[in-house]
Amino acid sequence: MNKHYALNPGTRSGPRTREVWPPWVPHWTLVLMLAVVLMLGLGSPLVGLGAWVVPGPDTAAVAAAEQHDCLRCHGMATMAYRDPETGELVNLSLDKNELAYSVHGKLACSQCHEGGYDQYPHPAELSAAELNCVGCHEDHPENTDRLDFSVISQEYKKSVHATSDDPEAADFNCHSCHDPHVFRASLLGRKIPDIVAYDNQICLSCHEKLRDPLSSSHAWLPNRDKHWAAVRCLDCHTTLNDSDRPVSHEILSAEQSQVNCVNCHSQGQGLLARLYQYRSREDIEKQGFFTKAVYNQAYVVGMSRNPLIDWLALIIIGLTVLVLAGHGYGRYRAYQSLREQQAGTATEGDKS
Amino acid sequence: MSALYLYPVWLRLWHWLNALLFVVLILTGASMHFSGTSWLLPFDTAVPIHNTAGILLTISWISFVIGNLVTPNGRHYHVRFRGLFKRLFAQMTYYGYGIFHNAPHPFHVTENEKLNTLQQLSYIGVMYGLMPLLIISGWSFLYSVYLPETLFGLGTLWVIAMAHLTLAYFLVLFLIVHMYIITTGETLITNLRAMLTGWHRESDHDNCANAARD
């Protein structure tokens, strides 16, 4: 198979053309190659239909070998081409490490990029863009037992990004936020600040103007950057509901978003409850009982603040202190008069 | 001069540990509650200290209860109901009136009764009422993730927060009054010294006055 990769993509220059095959290649070579591919493929349960089980040890090895093959070229950091139509640079390189840690890191490339990519140049009619998270996952529910992609898709369809008529949001889809080669869903036990940073990076990669410290956006939120390090954009920008899923994809418009501090800083922390589900269960198992109690984040700033109780208590305490001071003064006076009396009786005693 | 050994070592150790924890908890608690105020501890520092002190306070409280169960000290917390109101009234008129007129103390410390009725009732209220509630509300914070989302139709955490806050204010109030009241012994430091040395000493003069009244 390797001989088909003879062309070094690093030397490719000029506008990218999408011919299927150079015209001098006779058709029987194609047929022959197909046969070779099929024969090799028989050994691998990954190729062909019904191969959607999680790869076992031997299939994992096959998948790894295939990834290795593709990454010979696509692992190069500089691999990119300029789209002749739009003039934009299209990045074709994948980060090996990110791929390895991603949810799809154990899959053979061909599981998504079906048919033909193992040849180079790749056949032109193939396009990865049609692949779709929801389609594939709905067809193969066995690949996850904890996610319901139909629900995600329904939520997404109601989100600002999907309903916006802003031209910039025109071809928004799952891949706008999730690179299938990089995405790793947060799991129980990951540290909350890491999750927050990871999730917010997704949003800020496009909404980068918000990062500008001079931007007036979110100016009403005290300590904006601290909040952004402590809570997810999602926590304020999705509906407040009792769902036990940590992520909602129904991103609300600016007007509908949560501005209410009390939702986090008091009243049961409705918003944070969703985020903190990541933490709650992990904690006791991983950390000792006491460590968990000592380094506990259940209390957020201002949660116990209640002006009524504060004022009442401070007034009562203040009054008590005043009364006690008055009492002390009264005792001092009594003590003085006792001393005078004693001095009086003493001198009287002396006289008598 | 009369001297009674009223405060065994364990009790004094417990008392001063408890006092220290109270102070630490009030300081760190205020730092968390009024976070952002410049002269308080930073929030991040206050939280682990508060939580640690809270755990220690729990242990300290449990030892107090056990101590009172297994040692004779517990007898000071058995309320004598006969004449309760009379004694209470006498104590209150003393603090409210008699003390300003150098009236004799209506209560005489003995080996079997070291707490006057007012003291006794307020200590029982604090140690067996407020303290367990405070401790429970504190632990509910720490393990709030295991509690139901709402309680009586309100957010559970909010209910806990308000309870903890109110109890904390009550105990601050108690601490202030307590620190004042202990100065009303025969001399300003009679009671303080007793809690430090274990020995309650009164001059014979006072004993005579008491004896005369009895």
Side-chain angles (χ1 to χ4, degrees):
Chain A
M1 269 162 62
N2 286 350
K3 65 179 194 293
H4 297 293
Y5 295 132
L7 186 55
N8 181 354
T11 63
R12 249 172 91 113
S13 58
R16 176 173 166 255
T17 47
R18 274 192 162 251
E19 301 137 318
V20 182
W21 280 123
W24 41 265
V25 178
H27 281 292
W28 57 263
T29 15
L30 263 181
V31 178
L32 188 75
M33 229 172 48
L34 210 77
V36 172
V37 168
L38 272 177
M39 268 155 65
L40 285 171
L42 281 180
S44 150
L46 283 174
V47 178
L49 297 170
W52 291 101
V53 279
V54 176
D58 50 334
T59 54
V62 177
E66 200 202 84
Q67 285 188 357
H68 185 76
D69 252 0
C70 306
L71 289 175
R72 279 191 314 130
C73 294
H74 289 287
M76 286 187 295
T78 50
M79 190 159 171
Y81 73 90
R82 197 171 292 281
D83 191 309
E85 284 158 39
T86 62
E88 272 179 41
L89 209 62
V90 177
N91 185 5
L92 292 174
S93 87
L94 306 182
D95 185 311
K96 272 181 207 146
N97 287 326
E98 284 188 324
L99 177 73
Y101 284 111
S102 83
V103 283
H104 299 128
K106 294 207 170 54
L107 300 187
C109 310
S110 61
Q111 208 153 357
C112 291
H113 299 288
E114 280 173 273
Y117 277 104
D118 49 355
Q119 312 164 6
Y120 188 81
H122 304 314
E125 67 270 25
L126 295 174
S127 172
E130 280 150 35
L131 281 170
N132 146 337
C133 319
V134 179
C136 178
H137 275 277
E138 272 180 348
D139 292 347
H140 300 282
E142 68 278 10
N143 288 322
T144 172
D145 45 15
R146 59 181 197 93
L147 299 168
D148 185 339
F149 278 75
S150 321
V151 175
I152 294 178
S153 152
Q154 278 160 20
E155 284 175 346
Y156 168 73
K157 283 187 187 128
K158 285 187 269 175
S159 77
V160 263
H161 296 118
T163 55
S164 167
D165 37 49
D166 189 296
E168 271 189 82
D171 34 337
F172 218 90
N173 59 33
C174 310
H175 299 134
S176 310
C177 292
H178 301 302
D179 183 335
H181 315 105
V182 175
F183 182 53
R184 52 195 163 100
S186 299
L187 295 174
L188 277 182
R190 248 184 106 189
K191 292 210 177 72
I192 299 278
D194 294 350
I195 294 177
V196 170
Y198 180 79
D199 286 15
N200 290 1
Q201 178 49 40
I202 293 179
C203 310
L204 288 169
S205 66
C206 287
H207 293 283
E208 55 194 352
K209 270 183 258 152
L210 297 183
R211 276 238 174 84
D212 183 353
L214 299 177
S215 140
S216 65
S217 159
H218 299 86
W220 47 268
L221 185 64
N223 261 315
R224 191 190 69 175
D225 292 335
K226 205 156 188 190
H227 273 100
W228 286 358
V231 294
R232 297 176 302 176
C233 313
L234 284 175
D235 290 316
C236 292
H237 283 289
T238 55
T239 47
L240 178 58
N241 64 12
D242 293 338
S243 159
D244 56 355
R245 294 179 307 121
V247 181
S248 160
H249 276 84
E250 191 180 342
I251 294 167
L252 303 169
S253 70
E255 304 86 68
Q256 292 169 301
S257 299
Q258 305 286 341
V259 69
N260 199 348
C261 325
V262 176
N263 279 334
C264 289
H265 287 284
S266 178
Q267 298 277 7
Q269 297 173 276
L271 293 176
L272 287 178
R274 203 190 282 143
L275 171 64
Y276 284 178
Q277 280 168 15
Y278 281 118
R279 189 193 56 217
S280 52
R281 279 158 277 181
E282 132 224 13
D283 278 346
I284 287 196
E285 292 146 27
K286 282 217 174 143
Q287 312 175 337
F289 184 76
F290 283 108
T291 324
K292 153 103 207 263
V294 172
Y295 295 99
N296 194 296
Q297 296 164 330
Y299 185 94
V300 294
V301 179
M303 186 161 74
S304 61
R305 260 177 228 172
N306 182 314
L308 181 72
I309 298 183
D310 279 350
W311 278 114
L312 266 179
L314 293 177
I315 288 173
I316 293 176
I317 289 174
L319 284 178
T320 309
V321 170
L322 277 181
V323 167
L324 292 180
H327 196 272
Y329 180 66
R331 277 169 62 205
Y332 177 66
R333 291 288 298 271
Y335 172 72
Q336 273 189 327
S337 72
L338 184 72
R339 289 291 291 269
E340 277 167 26
Q341 246 178 355
Q342 279 171 346
T345 45
T347 44
E348 262 169 42
D350 283 351
K351 273 179 212 156
S352 61
Chain B
M1 196 75 179
S2 73
L4 297 171
Y5 188 64
L6 292 181
Y7 302 98
V9 177
W10 76 264
L11 190 64
R12 279 178 281 145
L13 278 178
W14 165 80
H15 175 271
W16 291 113
L17 175 68
N18 201 49
L20 178 72
L21 291 175
F22 256 60
V23 173
V24 170
L25 283 163
I26 289 172
L27 279 179
T28 51
S31 302
M32 289 159 72
H33 185 64
F34 298 109
S35 156
T37 314
S38 55
W39 43 273
L40 293 167
L41 292 175
F43 187 79
D44 297 347
T45 318
V47 174
I49 302 181
H50 194 84
N51 294 347
T52 313
I55 295 168
L56 292 178
L57 187 79
T58 313
I59 298 172
S60 144
W61 181 80
I62 294 172
S63 7
F64 173 81
V65 173
I66 293 176
N68 280 335
L69 286 175
V70 302
T71 74
N73 191 57
R75 71 185 182 282
H76 297 294
Y77 296 93
H78 293 303
V79 182
R80 243 186 330 123
F81 287 100
R82 265 189 64 211
L84 181 75
F85 287 103
K86 221 180 105 202
R87 274 178 284 129
L88 213 53
F89 185 73
Q91 195 65 39
M92 292 204 288
T93 30
Y94 172 71
Y95 284 139
Y97 179 82
I99 197 167
F100 302 124
H101 296 84
N102 302 309
H105 214 282
F107 173 75
H108 179 214
V109 175
T110 67
E111 199 145 350
N112 283 325
E113 241 183 344
K114 66 179 176 189
L115 306 174
N116 70 51
T117 314
L118 194 61
Q119 239 180 341
Q120 188 190 40
L121 289 185
S122 55
Y123 289 178
I124 289 176
V126 166
M127 289 313 297
Y128 296 101
L130 296 184
M131 285 285 280
L133 288 176
L134 182 83
I135 289 170
I136 290 170
S137 62
W139 281 96
S140 317
F141 257 136
L142 300 185
Y143 289 93
S144 55
V145 285
Y146 296 106
L147 300 176
E149 281 259 312
T150 55
L151 199 68
F152 317 126
L154 295 164
T156 304
L157 262 186
W158 185 78
V159 175
I160 294 169
M162 292 307 121
H164 198 71
L165 179 70
T166 313
L167 290 160
Y169 275 130
F170 269 116
L171 285 164
V172 171
L173 197 66
F174 164 77
L175 187 63
I176 293 172
V177 176
H178 177 69
M179 290 197 303
Y180 178 78
I181 290 280
I182 57 153
T183 67
T184 64
E186 191 203 348
T187 71
L188 287 184
I189 55 160
T190 306
N191 291 332
L192 181 64
R193 202 175 43 203
M195 193 43 99
L196 284 169
T197 63
W199 288 93
H200 182 92
R201 294 176 202 278
E202 284 187 8
S203 66
D204 291 326
H205 164 81
D206 206 52
N207 272 347
C208 291
N210 280 326
R213 211 179 55 246
D214 291 345

